[in-house]
Amino acid sequence: MVADLFENLFDELRREDIAPGAALLHGFARAQQHELIAAIDAIVARAPFRHMMTPGGHTMSVAMTSCGSAGWVTDRGGYRYAANDPASGQPWPEMPAVLRDLARNAAAEAGFAGFDPDACLINRYAPGARMALHQDKDERDFSAPIVSVSLGLPAIFQFGGMARSDKPRRYELRHGDVLVWGGETRLVYHGVLALKDGEHPLLGRQRINLTFRKAL
Ligand code: MD6
Ligand code: FE
């Protein structure tokens, strides 16, 4: 009985090293789930989720917004970071302390002490939404890691190699999981398979992902 309980607690808060410089911190964000969701709601009230267009003219299935001093945007003109939300012309909402502190703590736990994110991209997946294999290379400084927080429905994350053709490994990212990666693996190809439908007790039929970056 007691052994089972400890095993479950251990499993829920486990650090899994998936590659050099990459750690999956199972359940790391769970204790702050309510504060995180309230902070996201406040950001979305000022900078609503929107489906942006890729430079090639495709509308993304994932809806996005941002907070922090820079936000990630895409349109016919390319991928980039912008100080203002193109939908409103206003600066992106500030990064709330609860988000910044979580990202800093997770980075430190994974061996990247002193991470100081200036951008947080917020992705919303409805059932069927997916993200094709890509590299995150629009940031100026690749020595900083990326911290990725998953909330809501679980998703299958693909973690590949330095070439798009490298066969990716698959990891399930669940509510409260935090993935940190940098160093050698900072530029690996990665993506998210089409979200399977379901109902999450706090977030309903969606997955929300936060990615914290040092963009500028
Ligand atoms: C997602 N994440 O999990 C998409 N990028 O919805 C990413 O594209 C990502 O999780 C860079 C680093 C971590 C990530
Ligand atoms: Fe990415």
Side-chain angles (χ1 to χ4, degrees):
M1 264 298 273
V2 174
D4 281 352
L5 179 62
F6 276 105
E7 199 164 289
N8 288 336
L9 285 173
F10 182 69
D11 196 54
E12 293 213 334
L13 277 174
R14 185 165 50 96
R15 168 177 166 170
E16 184 181 359
D17 292 315
I18 66 174
L24 174 48
L25 309 176
H26 293 272
F28 192 87
R30 242 194 136 98
Q32 288 146 115
Q33 56 187 346
H34 298 289
E35 292 89 335
L36 295 172
I37 292 168
I40 295 164
D41 285 345
I43 292 161
V44 170
R46 289 180 47 205
F49 284 117
R50 79 293 305 264
H51 294 272
M52 292 190 280
M53 188 175 279
T54 65
H58 298 284
T59 299
M60 297 185 80
S61 62
V62 177
M64 298 178 172
T65 186
S66 283
C67 68
S69 44
W72 187 83
V73 298
T74 173
D75 57 21
R76 282 293 198 170
Y79 303 129
R80 62 196 177 276
Y81 283 93
N84 292 340
D85 177 352
S88 66
Q90 295 298 117
W92 296 101
E94 271 181 41
M95 192 184 298
V98 61
L99 295 192
R100 170 180 286 103
D101 292 348
L102 172 65
R104 289 181 61 84
N105 291 337
E109 178 70 24
F112 298 97
F115 178 52
D116 185 23
D118 53 16
C120 174
L121 172 63
I122 306 175
N123 294 143
R124 187 192 64 194
Y125 295 71
R130 59 186 286 272
M131 195 174 292
L133 285 177
H134 67 278
Q135 293 171 295
D136 285 40
K137 56 181 184 189
D138 302 317
E139 300 74 27
R140 203 164 287 166
D141 175 8
F142 297 142
S143 69
I146 293 182
V147 173
S148 162
V149 177
S150 291
L151 296 169
L153 291 177
I156 305 296
F157 189 80
Q158 300 175 292
F159 190 85
M162 293 300 292
R164 191 187 292 276
S165 56
D166 292 342
K167 185 175 160 56
R169 284 180 283 160
R170 292 179 172 188
Y171 296 90
E172 186 174 49
L173 297 182
R174 300 186 192 173
H175 180 73
D177 288 350
V178 180
L179 181 55
V180 181
W181 90 65
E184 273 181 54
T185 44
R186 173 68 179 69
L187 290 171
V188 298
Y189 278 91
H190 58 280
V192 178
L193 298 185
L195 192 79
K196 189 169 169 283
D197 201 358
E199 178 75 24
H200 185 269
L202 290 179
L203 286 168
R205 293 177 70 199
Q206 61 179 337
R207 168 176 185 259
I208 304 237
N209 170 260
L210 312 170
T211 48
F212 295 87
R213 301 108 189 283
K214 178 97 185 123
L216 305 180

